[in-house]
Amino acid sequence: MTIAKQIQEIITRRQEQAKNLDTVVEQWKNIKSCLRRLESEQQTLLNSNSETNSNVSVRLRTIDLSKVRQEIDQELREIDILKKRLSRETLNIGVVGKMRQGKSRLLQSITGLTDEYIPTSSAGVCTRVLSKVYHENDLGKLRNEVELHSYSSLQNILHMYFDKLGLEGSRPTVPDDLEARIFPPQISPNKEEDANSKHLSIRLRGEYYAKFNDYKSLLNSSSESEVIAPNQIRQYTTQITDNNGKITNSEYLAVKELRIHCQFPAKNELGKIGVIDLPGLGDNAILDVELLIKTLKQDVDFILFVRRPDPMGDDWKDEDRQMYQVARDALGNFPIKKCSFMVFNKNKEQEKKGQEACERFQRKMESDKIIEVSDSVIADCANSEEVKEKILIPVLGELTKNIDEVCRQYLRFHSQRLEKLKNEINDLLKPAINALEGYSQRGGQTFNAWFEDNLWKPLNGEIYKKRDELGVKQNQTDPDFENQVEKVLEDCKQEIIVPSVKEIKEFRDAYGDSYKISYYMCINEVKKRLTSEFEKLATALENSERKLQLSVVDILSEYAKLEKLANNKGLDFFDEIKQHIPDSNTTEQIQKSFEEMKTSTTTYKKIISTWIQEYLNYLQPDKHLDPLSINQILTNEVGVTLKQINELKNTASEIKDEDVEKIEKEIENKIDNSTEDQLSEIGAAIMTWLGVPFPNEINKKFLSLSIKTISSLMRQWIDKKNSQPSIIQASSLPVNKSLEEIRQEANEYLEKIRQEISSLRDKVVDKCGEELKSRLTFPNEEAYAKFDKFVTVAIKHEKAQTGWRDFYSDDSNKAILWPGAEDRIKNKEAEENWKKLVKDAIAAINQEGLLPQT
């Protein structure tokens, strides 16, 4: 079987093993999730447990779940690296060596590439980028590409520098700190003596920071990789210096790695292989390269160490050992002894001495075990045929021979580590299952202490505070009620209260075509409308009472803790709570107080009516005479008087003017001195005549008007007795009127009716307003009285505290209201939940599929 086919079979087997690791990863992620839930519960319990020195707290603190979770994270990272190694499409050979040891020549000989692709140190450059070269048989896929840093990945690199150098202060943010040229602090004096630390500090400050504006445009590229031409490789991957040693480029700082896909010279004998140039290992930047090599654990299957002994005199040096040690440490559990060659680069210009020097180095390496590798070879790294025969073919043979065992060793190594971690977690979890033993019965505040200190005292304090507030306000004007009174009075003065002309006519038409009756109906209508307006004040009183009731609900909800028993925050709250109050002679007063507080006053309209009824009664029709009747009375009275005067003229033609005056004065005197009974008799006569009752004051005016009219006519008759006919002229008597005059008088009368009614309305509203404004403290008085009664019945009576205690100590109520009961339930649930979480974690850690199959 050819090497190419062997390599393909190895890659196929490894990829199958990588798929098998998926199950392992998922199982351990499940364990981690179980432990995270358990740790979260652990922290919750510790935070809620005020007794820090209790047995439960002590037991919980001994369970270090955070430590094992971190160990799982570390193992998952290692497995992920292993999975990436096994999933690769190529077998890779890493080449390690100091500058000027022939490493670049070896890479050129293996890959067939020139200085343009793999620059040598003799050209005055130093490779600063991880370079990977892959053998590619498909000529259509040949390409060169660089993977560029993002801000995030560059920031990680800078943070590693900070950690390695032990720099103080906050670590940088990319790009902000670099753009602002906020340079990192200098290394500490004790590290100034260390060449590597000094070199890293110079590179951090002098390259990454100082040159940021030169290479920042390459960061955060829209694509992960960028194809470049061969003549750009040196610019992107190497550190180019001028004759004075000054670095002239910066692109390499933005590049993660270079990948070259080309056809190797031994194309027919190779399969999917790659070679990786680990830049600068063993040079001044040894710690810098260590950071890179740690990221390549999954990319190297075989290592070639390159050393060119000096024919003029040379020996193994500490830096050689350090180079090997750094590589071994960086690759972790990689079996470097089985998968590495030491290549001694023979000096072709002094071939004999170069061969001897290489052999001397080879013997000493093996005898002193300076570097332990699978084999060592001596070859001219610049000779591609020699490299192929002595290095490449033997390396591939060794690689294909050992790779399966190497993979098994990897898997066994991780399996052993995971087995150890599994046992550690089991040992941690088994006693943890009883960590909360007795937690549900832990001590706390007794019910009586809680009732006295946390309920009864605060409740009483808030109740009496509320009563005091209401007591101060009871003699003060209620602003809401005052505003409503002002609004109602304003509404009562609106035109709509007085019937319109149209409405007056409608009343006339409805009641026998009588304006008189229409007038009285309008008075009734005004009274009705005013009553309706004033009754609106009852709503303001109802709202005031409801406000008080809901404030009691709030107090009982918060300070009596009763919100836990009721879903309703309205007045139904009282009924809901009453259902929870046990029937007993100690609790009946509580039930009574709740019922009284819940019951709203239904007589506010009646109360309002009582206040203003005296003034509204002034609008009774029987107390007023319509304008038409008054006019008719006066007209009729004049007609009767004229008739009597004519009769008097015929029988008393000799009467004189002074006699009339004397009679008038005497009658007026009689009228003024009339008794109530006499006036009532006159009123009764007028009522018999007109059908309308009048008060005595009106009767007196009627009499006075009649006398004045008679006196006036008598004087007129006396003055004209010699020139006038014996009968009074017709102009003095009522005459028939035209239709137009009648219409005009009707319209004037309608307006007179509205004016009279509006005047009555204003008088009544003003009187009602005076009365209502004297009652503006009423809502506050009522609130205090209602609340004070509630306090007396619910809190102050001799059995009150006992009744409330009996209410709360009822088993069903206690389970809901007493936090101690709730705590015990919660603690029991917490104890059971903890055990379940521990059992879940134990079940997860003991499942099949936790360990890689070897």
Side-chain angles (χ1 to χ4, degrees):
M1 182 183 296
T2 65
I3 289 178
K5 288 186 177 179
Q6 290 182 53
I7 289 174
Q8 185 57 53
E9 287 189 359
I10 290 169
I11 290 172
T12 301
R13 287 197 300 272
R14 295 202 327 175
Q15 289 176 343
E16 288 297 324
Q17 290 171 322
K19 291 179 182 179
N20 293 335
L21 287 177
D22 287 341
T23 301
V24 175
V25 170
E26 287 304 314
Q27 297 285 49
W28 281 97
K29 283 183 177 178
N30 181 47
I31 294 169
K32 180 182 172 183
S33 179
C34 290
L35 294 177
R36 185 185 292 110
R37 289 194 294 271
L38 188 61
E39 187 178 11
S40 176
E41 182 67 14
Q42 177 192 38
Q43 196 58 50
T44 299
L45 290 167
L46 286 171
N47 291 340
S48 64
N49 189 4
S50 58
E51 302 170 26
T52 56
N53 295 322
S54 68
N55 291 333
V56 170
S57 294
V58 171
R59 289 196 295 266
L60 285 173
R61 286 193 175 86
T62 60
I63 305 169
D64 195 348
L65 296 169
S66 176
K67 175 176 176 291
V68 293
R69 274 204 311 106
Q70 292 174 7
E71 291 176 358
I72 291 175
D73 285 337
Q74 178 61 33
E75 293 303 322
L76 287 174
R77 286 192 290 269
E78 293 294 329
I79 293 174
D80 184 60
I81 291 173
L82 175 59
K83 183 182 174 185
K84 288 178 179 177
R85 174 190 292 279
L86 298 177
S87 300
R88 271 191 284 106
E89 295 286 343
T90 59
L91 296 184
N92 296 335
I93 301 168
V95 182
V96 180
K98 294 166 57 181
M99 289 180 65
R100 296 181 175 85
Q101 297 299 304
K103 182 183 64 169
S104 295
R105 292 297 183 192
L106 175 60
L107 288 168
Q108 290 178 356
S109 295
I110 293 174
T111 63
L113 298 174
T114 63
D115 282 356
E116 187 176 31
Y117 292 87
I118 305 177
T120 61
S121 57
S122 60
V125 298
C126 176
T127 303
R128 285 302 190 190
V129 172
L130 178 68
S131 299
K132 300 177 182 178
V133 186
Y134 297 104
H135 172 58
E136 180 61 70
N137 276 323
D138 188 346
L139 298 180
K141 295 182 178 179
L142 303 184
R143 65 192 182 279
N144 314 305
E145 58 187 7
V146 288
E147 183 178 347
L148 301 171
H149 277 298
S150 64
Y151 287 151
S152 176
S153 63
L154 178 64
Q155 182 169 284
N156 290 337
I157 293 292
L158 300 184
H159 288 182
M160 286 193 287
Y161 269 83
F162 266 65
D163 293 341
K164 282 293 180 182
L165 294 172
L167 299 179
E168 298 180 355
S170 59
R171 299 194 292 182
T173 299
V174 177
D176 298 343
D177 290 347
L178 275 70
E179 287 181 335
R181 300 184 68 81
I182 302 175
F183 281 77
Q186 296 286 354
I187 56 176
S188 59
N190 63 319
K191 290 204 172 186
E192 285 282 355
E193 304 297 326
D194 180 63
N196 287 324
S197 295
K198 190 173 182 178
H199 176 79
L200 285 175
S201 177
I202 292 173
R203 187 171 187 201
L204 175 63
R205 296 173 61 86
E207 295 181 44
Y208 280 111
Y209 273 78
K211 294 177 177 289
F212 180 71
N213 287 333
D214 296 333
Y215 68 84
K216 70 177 182 179
S217 61
L218 298 175
L219 302 175
N220 273 9
S221 174
S222 58
S223 59
E224 293 185 359
S225 61
E226 184 175 323
V227 176
I228 60 174
N231 60 5
Q232 293 177 289
I233 291 177
R234 178 177 296 189
Q235 190 73 20
Y236 274 87
T237 62
T238 65
Q239 189 181 76
I240 304 172
T241 57
D242 60 17
N243 293 333
N244 298 319
K246 181 180 179 181
I247 301 172
T248 61
N249 67 323
S250 63
E251 288 85 351
Y252 63 93
L253 295 169
V255 178
K256 273 188 179 181
E257 65 181 42
L258 165 69
R259 294 188 290 270
I260 301 174
H261 298 265
C262 65
Q263 196 173 67
F264 289 8
K267 58 183 178 180
N268 296 326
E269 302 174 52
L270 303 178
K272 295 182 177 180
I273 69 167
V275 289
I276 299 176
D277 180 12
L278 302 178
L281 187 61
D283 303 322
N284 288 335
I286 188 168
L287 291 181
D288 194 11
V289 177
E290 180 189 1
L291 299 176
L292 291 175
I293 208 169
K294 281 186 177 181
T295 67
L296 301 174
K297 286 197 254 185
Q298 71 268 25
D299 288 327
V300 176
D301 297 302
F302 203 95
I303 296 179
L304 294 178
F305 294 101
V306 182
R307 178 72 159 89
R308 183 172 64 184
D310 188 347
M312 302 306 295
D314 198 359
D315 200 355
W316 287 103
K317 299 176 181 177
D318 287 342
E319 58 192 50
D320 294 317
R321 296 181 178 87
Q322 190 178 14
M323 174 187 67
Y324 176 81
Q325 186 65 39
V326 167
R328 187 176 66 181
D329 292 345
L331 294 172
N333 58 320
F334 182 82
I336 195 169
K337 184 177 180 181
K338 289 185 178 182
C339 294
S340 62
F341 271 18
M342 184 71 214
V343 177
F344 294 106
N345 184 16
K346 182 172 60 175
N347 191 322
K348 64 180 179 179
E349 295 177 356
Q350 302 180 46
E351 188 168 351
K352 184 178 180 181
K353 288 185 178 181
Q355 179 74 24
E356 290 174 354
C358 289
E359 290 173 353
R360 186 175 67 253
F361 263 71
Q362 190 177 41
R363 288 192 299 270
K364 190 168 184 179
M365 181 192 75
E366 293 172 355
S367 63
D368 294 354
K369 299 188 182 211
I370 295 172
I371 293 177
E372 296 183 283
V373 292
S374 176
D375 201 356
S376 62
V377 295
I378 299 173
D380 180 2
C381 290
N383 187 324
S384 58
E385 284 299 322
E386 194 171 337
V387 167
K388 173 185 172 184
E389 295 300 327
K390 288 188 175 183
I391 300 175
L392 182 57
I393 299 302
V395 165
L396 293 176
E398 190 75 11
L399 181 59
T400 54
K401 180 180 73 174
N402 293 331
I403 192 68
D404 284 339
E405 177 56 32
V406 169
C407 287
R408 283 193 291 271
Q409 184 173 333
Y410 262 121
L411 293 170
R412 280 196 298 271
F413 174 80
H414 285 290
S415 182
Q416 289 168 0
R417 286 176 62 92
L418 292 174
E419 181 72 32
K420 180 181 178 182
L421 181 56
K422 173 184 174 181
N423 293 334
E424 180 184 349
I425 294 173
N426 265 320
D427 291 342
L428 184 69
L429 293 177
K430 285 178 181 177
I433 200 167
N434 295 317
L436 263 66
E437 186 176 359
Y439 185 69
S440 61
Q441 300 300 319
R442 65 176 182 159
Q445 191 179 31
T446 65
F447 171 79
N448 286 335
W450 168 81
F451 176 83
E452 187 68 30
D453 297 334
N454 295 78
L455 187 129
W456 186 248
K457 289 179 180 178
L459 176 60
N460 273 258
E462 192 63 21
I463 288 285
Y464 284 109
K465 175 184 173 183
K466 178 70 175 179
R467 191 186 69 166
D468 291 344
E469 291 174 356
L470 293 174
V472 170
K473 291 169 63 176
Q474 68 173 325
N475 294 321
Q476 298 175 0
T477 295
D478 184 294
D480 293 336
F481 187 56
E482 182 179 28
N483 291 337
Q484 190 62 27
V485 167
E486 292 294 340
K487 185 179 184 308
V488 167
L489 291 175
E490 183 179 344
D491 291 344
C492 287
K493 289 292 185 77
Q494 298 299 316
E495 283 295 317
I496 196 171
I497 299 298
V498 178
S500 65
V501 169
K502 180 181 177 183
E503 289 175 308
I504 295 173
K505 289 180 178 181
E506 288 173 352
F507 281 130
R508 180 202 63 187
D509 296 341
Y511 295 97
D513 198 27
S514 170
Y515 277 119
K516 293 182 180 181
I517 297 178
S518 176
Y519 173 78
Y520 301 130
M521 294 303 297
C522 287
I523 291 177
N524 277 331
E525 183 63 24
V526 170
K527 182 178 181 182
K528 177 182 175 183
R529 293 178 184 182
L530 289 179
T531 300
S532 177
E533 289 296 326
F534 286 122
E535 284 180 347
K536 292 178 181 178
L537 292 174
T539 302
L541 298 179
E542 291 165 0
N543 290 339
S544 174
E545 182 178 39
R546 183 174 179 81
K547 183 178 177 182
L548 171 71
Q549 292 166 318
L550 293 180
S551 70
V552 175
V553 170
D554 290 340
I555 291 173
L556 295 176
S557 295
E558 181 177 356
Y559 293 91
K561 322 292 185 186
L562 294 180
E563 61 183 356
K564 296 180 180 180
L565 295 181
N567 296 320
N568 199 298
K569 283 290 186 179
L571 297 186
D572 290 340
F573 170 89
F574 295 103
D575 288 336
E576 282 193 72
I577 299 302
K578 280 173 59 182
Q579 294 175 5
H580 293 277
I581 301 176
D583 293 328
S584 71
N585 59 352
T586 61
T587 60
E588 60 184 358
Q589 289 293 92
I590 302 175
Q591 292 177 323
K592 179 182 177 183
S593 68
F594 278 27
E595 181 62 32
E596 290 178 347
M597 179 53 69
K598 181 230 173 180
T599 302
S600 300
T601 303
T602 59
T603 59
Y604 283 127
K605 287 185 179 181
K606 186 176 180 180
I607 291 172
I608 298 293
S609 177
T610 300
W611 293 345
I612 62 175
Q613 193 61 50
E614 174 186 354
Y615 309 111
L616 290 177
N617 285 343
Y618 185 66
L619 292 173
Q620 290 179 0
D622 289 349
K623 292 186 178 182
H624 305 281
L625 183 64
D626 67 278
L628 184 59
S629 295
I630 294 174
N631 187 58
Q632 289 175 340
I633 290 171
L634 295 178
T635 302
N636 291 339
E637 187 68 24
V638 170
V640 171
T641 302
L642 288 173
K643 181 180 178 181
Q644 292 174 344
I645 288 173
N646 281 323
E647 292 176 355
L648 180 60
K649 175 185 174 184
N650 294 328
T651 57
S653 58
E654 296 301 322
I655 193 169
K656 298 179 181 179
D657 185 64
E658 56 266 24
D659 295 328
V660 173
E661 185 177 348
K662 182 178 179 181
I663 294 169
E664 182 182 1
K665 287 182 179 180
E666 187 171 343
I667 295 175
E668 284 288 347
N669 184 51
K670 292 278 187 183
I671 292 172
D672 290 338
N673 295 317
S674 299
T675 65
E676 288 295 320
D677 290 341
Q678 290 172 332
L679 290 173
S680 295
E681 288 179 11
I682 294 171
I686 293 174
M687 182 176 178
T688 302
W689 176 30
L690 297 177
V692 178
F694 294 101
N696 288 338
E697 190 64 30
I698 296 296
N699 293 332
K700 185 185 290 186
K701 288 181 180 180
F702 280 157
L703 288 174
S704 178
L705 179 61
S706 299
I707 294 303
K708 288 179 180 178
T709 302
I710 293 170
S711 299
S712 175
L713 291 172
M714 290 179 68
R715 286 192 178 92
Q716 179 185 356
W717 175 68
I718 293 170
D719 291 341
K720 297 181 179 181
K721 61 182 177 178
N722 296 323
S723 60
Q724 297 293 334
S726 59
I727 303 298
I728 300 235
Q729 294 181 3
S731 59
S732 302
L733 298 175
V735 295
N736 293 328
K737 298 178 181 178
S738 68
L739 182 60
E740 184 60 33
E741 289 177 323
I742 293 174
R743 282 200 188 100
Q744 184 177 353
E745 286 186 1
N747 290 333
E748 292 174 355
Y749 179 67
L750 285 172
E751 187 57 36
K752 182 66 175 176
I753 288 177
R754 290 199 83 251
Q755 291 175 359
E756 289 290 329
I757 294 174
S758 179
S759 176
L760 288 174
R761 182 272 311 268
D762 291 344
K763 292 177 182 177
V764 170
V765 171
D766 290 342
K767 285 294 185 179
C768 289
E770 292 174 6
E771 180 64 28
L772 290 171
K773 289 176 182 179
S774 70
R775 306 278 185 167
L776 296 179
T777 60
F778 180 78
N780 289 336
E781 294 170 3
E782 285 291 289
Y784 177 78
K786 188 178 184 77
F787 191 79
D788 185 62
K789 184 176 181 182
F790 172 79
V791 174
T792 300
V793 177
I795 302 296
K796 290 175 64 175
H797 73 93
E798 59 182 0
K799 295 181 181 179
Q801 186 171 355
T802 302
W804 282 87
R805 191 189 303 275
D806 290 347
F807 170 24
Y808 281 78
S809 61
D810 178 79
D811 289 341
S812 60
N813 294 334
K814 181 190 280 188
I816 299 173
L817 299 174
W818 178 40
E822 184 178 350
D823 288 344
R824 292 194 176 188
I825 294 172
K826 286 182 179 178
N827 292 344
K828 181 65 176 177
E829 292 174 351
E831 188 175 342
E832 292 174 354
N833 186 50
W834 172 264
K835 287 183 178 180
K836 180 182 181 301
L837 291 174
V838 174
K839 288 178 181 178
D840 289 346
I842 290 174
I845 198 65
N846 289 287
Q847 289 184 88
E848 296 292 331
L850 289 179
L851 308 177
Q853 298 299 312
T854 59

